[in-house]
Amino acid sequence: MTTDQAYTGRVSTVMHVRCPDLLPEELYRLVLEQLAELSPVVQALPPTAALVELKGALRYHDVGGDAGRLGQMLRVRVLTRHGVDLRIGIGPTISVAATASAQVPEPGGVLVVAPDRAADWLAGLPVEALYGIGPRQADALRDYGIHTVGLLAAVPAETVQRLLGGRAGRLARERARGADRRPVVPRSLPASATVSCTFARHTLDGADVRAALLGLVIQLGRTLRRRGQSPQALTLTLTFAGTGRWSKTQRLPEPSAHDEDLRVAAYRLMDAAGLQRGRLTGLSLRGEELRDAGAVAQQITLDHSREARLVAEAAVDRIRDKFGAGVIGPAAVYRAVS
């Protein structure tokens, strides 16, 4: 029995999708767009997962009510269009579908658990495989001799609640029996985009930090322009040695995803930090309140140097799209190479 042809039967309704770990946010958003083409009820679970309600989708798409075919169609579509393979679990509830997707071996596949077989399928899994059971909870259950999901489902509710706590124990036992009352709630990603970097060693404010910040500006600008979005504000977060963090937000004069506009705002935020001898371990730059770039009014300008920079920026974007992001950029970012 393969993960692509398993446990079919009556129509399942919930799909849980797992993208590869460390998937860039840009690609994750593209996957969510593909899910939205499949069903109007999509719940993003950042950074790399999502839920889809399939009831309406099974009626709309010509798959004969076969949820497995719908999952395969999605997997092939995302793989061919974006080069991202998915691990897809389909079941009658969120917890069954999420447990199933975790059982799909990498790089990807589809596992369907029919509603009338959900409890039996769950019963044979190790207890730590049940969605929602963390390592500490699994250890507590194993210490009591509960090694499988089937044993968890058979133990009296009072015992499980005593081991895991009242609410956690009740939920764990219900999910072990295939029950889960939660609906899929439509939820998109927040209207923001974040890029970050860490330093190999503690770094003082100076040329290295400015170069790293400029690199983030370029990365964020390219990501936003490819999405067709413009931020209305920027947030800079500095992480210091130990547990210290500093964060500040600045609104842009007008929404913009152009490198020069983002650079000016980012440098002003860095100046506002007032660093002297702070030992930095990382930087994070986030574009906030994203808007559709096509809906942003463009101010008329007679600044010929700015117009020239925008033309050059578009040309550089085309070069990066063709040859890779690291082939061209400001000298300050690449000064370590020289």
Side-chain angles (χ1 to χ4, degrees), residues 60-282:
Y60 179 81
H61 297 279
D62 186 18
V63 293
D66 187 343
R69 284 181 59 193
L70 205 57
Q72 288 289 3
M73 183 175 71
L74 171 68
R75 183 190 173 203
V76 171
R77 183 180 297 173
V78 173
L79 186 59
T80 55
R81 292 182 180 178
H82 307 298
V84 177
D85 207 346
L86 304 176
R87 299 158 65 200
I88 300 172
I90 301 174
T93 67
I94 288 177
S95 57
V96 172
T99 301
S101 67
Q103 297 302 304
V104 176
E106 294 180 348
V110 180
L111 174 58
V112 182
V113 181
D116 56 357
R117 298 194 60 182
D120 291 339
W121 178 78
L122 288 169
L125 297 175
V127 70
E128 63 269 17
L130 181 64
Y131 181 73
I133 296 292
R136 291 185 179 179
Q137 291 177 318
D139 289 342
L141 293 170
R142 285 183 173 278
D143 288 343
Y144 195 79
I146 302 173
H147 299 278
T148 67
V149 177
L151 288 174
L152 176 59
V155 170
E158 296 79 7
T159 302
V160 183
Q161 290 176 326
R162 186 170 66 252
L163 293 172
L164 303 182
R167 183 174 183 273
R170 176 178 58 78
L171 290 176
R173 188 170 180 274
E174 286 180 357
R175 293 173 186 176
R177 296 183 166 202
D180 190 342
R181 299 183 179 91
R182 294 172 299 168
V184 178
V185 180
R187 182 185 304 156
S188 60
L189 281 181
S192 66
T194 304
V195 292
S196 60
C197 69
T198 57
F199 299 111
R201 57 182 182 275
H202 299 170
T203 305
L204 300 175
D205 182 31
D208 289 340
V209 174
R210 293 282 169 160
L213 181 58
L214 181 57
L216 293 183
V217 165
I218 293 168
Q219 184 182 347
L220 179 62
R222 180 168 182 259
T223 296
L224 292 171
R225 291 192 297 275
R226 292 181 71 182
R227 287 191 199 167
Q229 295 177 312
S230 296
Q232 299 182 83
L234 278 187
T235 296
L236 176 64
T237 301
L238 310 179
T239 305
F240 299 94
T243 58
R245 290 170 67 88
W246 179 91
S247 184
K248 185 176 178 64
T249 300
Q250 176 174 318
R251 297 192 67 81
L252 300 174
E254 61 184 33
S256 173
H258 297 303
D259 289 348
E260 182 64 15
D261 299 331
L262 299 176
R263 182 192 66 79
V264 170
Y267 279 14
R268 286 176 178 170
L269 287 167
M270 180 63 78
D271 291 339
L275 297 179
Q276 294 183 6
R277 303 297 293 176
R279 295 182 299 159
L280 288 172
T281 60

